[in-house]
Structure formats: structure tokens, C-alpha cells
Amino acid sequence: MPSFCVNKDVQPNGDHEVHDLSADCPTYPSPENRLALGEHSSCHTAVQAAGDYYNQVNGCFHCARPCHTG
């Protein structure tokens, strides 16, 4: 089961991006800016978990595309 994290740094549009750490992603946040979300069967539950920490979350376009809303 893949592990996920959410970027602690907010994007210019207000999103905190969720990343799949088992994927090859060119936009991973630096280790000190990652909040671990644990293992999830899909990015959908990882995004829900990130919602416990941040009001505006989105899946990364590169590594969590099914959860990326634009």
C-alpha cells in the first residue's frame, strides 16, 4: 500500500498538495515540508486525511492525478 504525504507549504492558489511517496514525482516537497499521512489504498483517502490538517487540499498533478482537481 502506498504512503502519502501533504506539503506543509501552501501553493499560490491556496492548495496543500498530497503526494504519493511510492511514485516518481518531480515535485515532491522537501522532507522538512512533508506531513506524513500514512499508507492509503488510494489518493482519495489520503486527500481526506489531509483535510484533517488543512482546509484546502488537492492531489498532485504528477503523482496523485486521480485526485488532482485543477
Side-chain angles (χ1 to χ4, degrees), residues 42-59:
S42 74
C43 63
H44 299 287
T45 57
V47 167
Q48 287 178 330
D52 291 344
Y53 301 97
Y54 301 107
N55 290 328
Q56 189 172 328
V57 296
N58 196 2

Side-chain angles (χ1 to χ4, degrees), residues 7-33:
N7 192 340
K8 294 179 185 178
D9 286 338
V10 65
Q11 301 299 305
N13 67 356
D15 285 347
H16 288 269
E17 286 188 328
V18 172
H19 293 269
D20 179 348
L21 295 173
S22 68
D24 184 23
C25 184
T27 63
Y28 282 141
S30 60
E32 62 272 9
N33 290 325

